[in-house]
């Protein structure tokens, strides 16, 4: 047994006992023994889920990082088969020098392959390539003592339920994914600041169809005619240049302060400065892939800046037809509260359907920002939830620590199909909370 594990957000503060099985020799037998001894468990990847979806109802998780081997790779076709505990960073380290990249990547490269499937992660190119699950060819699922090969043709119901299924249908042992070809590890990007939410939607309508990647940072505290102001970024893989893995030394937050370093004064000053330092005219530049895709990965343990009480992320998606007015309401409520984060992300999602039953994105606009955990969050989140409910939007289970059961069941009507396919040995605090 290793040291206790927690979610990335540190809230709820529910340390998990970690059990790592030597599955290569006795995969099914070891898992069944753990389940019998502990009364249930849950697969746990690299701990980058923010809320309680990665926390076992039994407080005993299976630490998947022990499954960290590559099984085979076809560098002509761009297909990789790896164990579920391999991280996206480890895949990129092999793929980039050979001219391949992940077709979909979230905002951190330190999630495991199994976690990327279980949360059906999405990225800055959802409008072009959908979710991670759209590029999964097959996987091995350990379920009730049997290792099943799942794909759209084999066990299709389990294939769909496992993608975005939060680790509840079984334990992913390995997966095969398809990569995308690149000519350079660098990204040609364009940045421009915008003055309000209306300008964001105008830029998105103009630029999204022309570029692989699109995302915006917004000032969550701006009000009035500047509400929703921010910095818009688009990018494409460079057509020429080097194919190198970024190996620069990362800085680290060594200690967790007793109180959050993110507060009204620091937040307001940072947001105003960050907005003004970006150009008012479109500016082109070539950047390495890490600062473009993974800006927070440059600072290890950045979650510690939120203090011992941790933080919660509010990530929602709103249908296209009502996205702009609903976002005006959401941002108005957030600005009035004086709470929020340095990194507030706004992006458009496309209409490409995911193969997963409980996948988060839909055709519309996604908003994500972090809040230091404090008592004042409860009334703010209640207000935000009411706006989201009226708009027909939904929250992201992988980032959630507060969603009500009613809101979850309304937003994810396929949950009953997942419950019917859930492995009885696997349950999470999140699932127990929203389905009770």
């Amino acid at each position: 047994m290793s040291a206790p594990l927690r979610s990335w957000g540190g809230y709820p503060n529910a340390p998990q006992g970690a059990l790592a099985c030597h599955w290569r020799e006795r995969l099914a037998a070891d898992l069944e023994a753990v389940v019998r001894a502990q009364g249930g468990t849950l697969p746990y990847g690299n701990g980058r889920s923010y809320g309680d979806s990665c926390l076992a109802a039994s407080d005993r998780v299976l630490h998947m990082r022990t499954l960290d081997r590559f099984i085979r790779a076809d560098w002509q076709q761009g297909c990789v088969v790896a164990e579920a505990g391999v991280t996206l960073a480890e895949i990129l380290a092999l793929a980039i020098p050979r001219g391949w990249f992940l077709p979909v990547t979230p905002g951190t490269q330190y999630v495991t392959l199994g976690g990327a499937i279980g949360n059906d992660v999405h990225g800055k190119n959802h409008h072009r390539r959908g979710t991670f699950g759209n590029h999964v060819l097959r996987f091995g699922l350990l379920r009730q003592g049997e290792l099943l090969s799942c794909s759209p043709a084999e066990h299709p119901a389990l294939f769909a339920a496992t993608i975005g299924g939060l680790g509840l249908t079984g334990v992913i042992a390995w997966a095969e994914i398809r990569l995308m070809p690149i000519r350079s590890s660098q990204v040609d990007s364009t940045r421009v600041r915008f003055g309000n939410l209306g300008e964001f939607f105008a830029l998105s309508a103009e630029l999204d169809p022309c570029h692989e990647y699109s995302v915006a940072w917004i000032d969550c505290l701006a009000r009035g005619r500047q509400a929703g102001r921010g910095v818009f970024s688009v990018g494409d893989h460079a057509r020429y240049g080097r194919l190198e893995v970024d190996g620069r030394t990362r800085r680290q937050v060594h200690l967790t302060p007793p109180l959050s370093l993110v507060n009204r004064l620091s937040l307001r000053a940072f947001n105003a400065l960050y907005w003004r330092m970006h150009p008012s005219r479109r500016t082109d530049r070539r950047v390495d892939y890490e600062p473009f895709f993974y800006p927070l990965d440059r600072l290890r343990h950045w979650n510690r800046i939120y203090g011992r009480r941790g933080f919660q992320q509010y990530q929602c998606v709103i249908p296209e037809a009502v996205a702009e007015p609903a976002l005006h309401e959401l941002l108005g409520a957030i600005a009035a509260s004086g709470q929020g984060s340095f990194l507030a992300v706004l992006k458009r999602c496309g209409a490409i359907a995911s193969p997963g039953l409980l996948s988060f994105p839909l055709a519309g606009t996604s908003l994500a920002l972090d809040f230091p955990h404090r008592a004042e969050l409860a009334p703010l989140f209640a207000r935000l939830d009411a706006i989201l409910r009226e708009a027909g939007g939904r929250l992201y289970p992988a980032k959630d620590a507060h969603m009500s059961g009613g809101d979850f069941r309304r937003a994810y009507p396929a949950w009953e199909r997942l419950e019917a396919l859930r492995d009885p040995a696997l349950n999470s605090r999140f699932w127990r909370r929203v389905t009770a």
Side-chain angles (χ1 to χ4, degrees):
M1 184 174 294
S2 62
L5 302 172
R6 290 177 169 82
S7 74
W8 187 248
Y11 178 84
N13 185 9
Q16 305 280 286
L19 300 123
C21 300
H22 300 291
W23 289 356
R24 297 190 186 98
E25 292 78 20
R26 300 178 64 251
L27 183 65
D30 275 3
L31 178 59
E32 290 301 300
V34 168
V35 170
R36 286 195 300 271
Q38 303 297 334
T41 186
L42 188 74
Y44 181 103
N46 206 29
R48 291 302 175 114
S49 295
Y50 286 23
D52 56 2
S53 66
C54 64
L55 305 180
S58 67
D59 292 335
R60 288 290 184 271
V61 294
L62 293 166
H63 199 350
M64 299 298 295
R65 280 292 284 145
T66 57
L67 271 72
D68 59 357
R69 295 193 306 188
F70 286 85
I71 298 171
R72 62 179 181 274
D74 182 344
W75 299 117
Q76 297 299 316
Q77 299 297 321
C79 291
V80 169
V81 183
E83 292 179 330
V86 168
T87 66
L88 300 188
E90 290 164 343
I91 295 175
L92 290 173
L94 290 181
I96 287 175
R98 295 170 170 86
W100 297 94
F101 201 80
L102 294 164
V104 170
T105 180
T108 176
Q109 61 189 316
Y110 297 128
V111 300
T112 61
L113 179 56
I117 296 171
N119 292 291
D120 197 16
V121 297
H122 59 283
K124 297 178 176 66
N125 60 348
H126 185 269
H127 62 293
R128 286 287 186 92
R129 300 183 189 270
T131 64
F132 195 88
N134 289 105
H135 307 277
V136 175
L137 301 178
R138 61 183 56 83
F139 50 78
L141 187 70
L142 181 61
R143 175 183 170 87
Q144 297 179 318
E146 186 177 3
L147 185 59
L148 306 174
S149 178
C150 299
S151 71
E154 302 175 273
H155 306 289
L158 280 173
F159 182 78
T162 302
I163 295 175
L166 306 173
L168 297 168
T169 60
V171 178
I172 300 172
W174 56 267
E176 181 177 5
I177 61 170
R178 188 179 299 280
L179 304 175
M180 64 181 288
I182 56 172
R183 297 180 180 178
S184 171
S185 56
Q186 294 181 303
V187 176
D188 287 330
S189 69
T190 300
R191 283 190 175 188
V192 62
R193 77 185 189 202
F194 53 90
N196 53 52
L197 197 57
E199 291 183 20
F200 161 79
F201 279 97
L203 285 168
S204 180
E206 176 192 353
L207 297 177
D208 284 5
C210 306
H211 297 277
E212 177 76 22
Y213 303 104
S214 174
V215 70
W217 168 89
I218 58 168
D219 179 356
C220 61
L221 296 184
R223 306 179 73 172
R225 285 185 286 184
Q226 290 188 318
R229 70 179 183 180
V231 179
F232 198 91
S233 301
V234 293
D236 300 278
H237 292 283
R239 296 181 181 179
Y240 64 90
R242 61 182 185 268
L243 285 166
E244 295 180 354
V245 177
D246 196 328
R248 285 176 287 183
T249 302
R250 287 153 178 75
R251 296 181 179 180
Q252 182 173 191
V253 179
H254 293 278
L255 299 173
T256 302
L259 299 175
S260 172
L261 300 182
V262 180
N263 53 56
R264 297 188 183 193
L265 292 177
S266 63
L267 185 60
R268 194 172 299 278
F270 174 88
N271 284 7
L273 176 63
Y274 189 79
W275 185 75
R276 288 188 175 89
M277 68 182 288
H278 282 85
S280 58
R281 295 183 179 182
R282 297 180 190 183
T283 302
D284 300 329
R285 63 174 183 166
R286 178 166 290 191
V287 297
D288 290 330
Y289 73 93
E290 277 207 348
F292 183 84
F293 292 105
Y294 315 116
L296 288 179
D297 284 353
R298 309 295 303 183
L299 183 63
R300 296 182 61 192
H301 303 298
W302 61 263
N303 55 333
R304 292 174 177 170
I305 69 172
Y306 285 93
R308 295 173 186 169
R309 300 182 68 183
F311 69 95
Q312 295 189 55
Q313 182 171 106
Y314 196 95
Q315 183 166 359
C316 64
V317 62
I318 302 169
E320 190 68 35
V322 295
E324 188 168 353
L327 282 165
H328 267 294
E329 283 196 75
L330 287 172
L331 292 173
I334 293 167
S337 76
Q339 303 179 74
S341 65
F342 299 129
L343 191 68
V345 176
L346 195 62
K347 59 188 173 187
R348 303 282 289 280
C349 295
I352 300 173
S354 167
L357 289 184
L358 296 191
S359 295
F360 162 70
L362 51 79
T365 304
S366 170
L367 171 69
L369 66 165
D370 304 330
F371 295 86
H373 178 66
R374 53 171 65 100
E376 297 91 327
L377 273 189
L380 173 61
F381 279 9
R383 172 61 181 147
L384 301 182
D385 290 347
I387 297 169
L388 189 64
R389 195 179 305 122
E390 179 69 20
R394 61 193 183 202
L395 292 163
Y396 191 12
K399 304 291 184 71
D400 176 71
H402 83 279
M403 186 178 1
S404 72
D407 282 347
F408 171 77
R409 294 188 292 271
R410 173 196 56 78
Y412 295 94
W415 75 271
E416 290 180 296
R417 293 167 60 192
L418 178 61
E419 173 61 19
L421 292 169
R422 180 172 64 87
D423 187 328
L426 306 176
N427 203 0
S428 67
R429 283 174 170 251
F430 171 85
W431 195 251
R432 185 176 62 185
R433 169 166 60 87
V434 299
T435 62

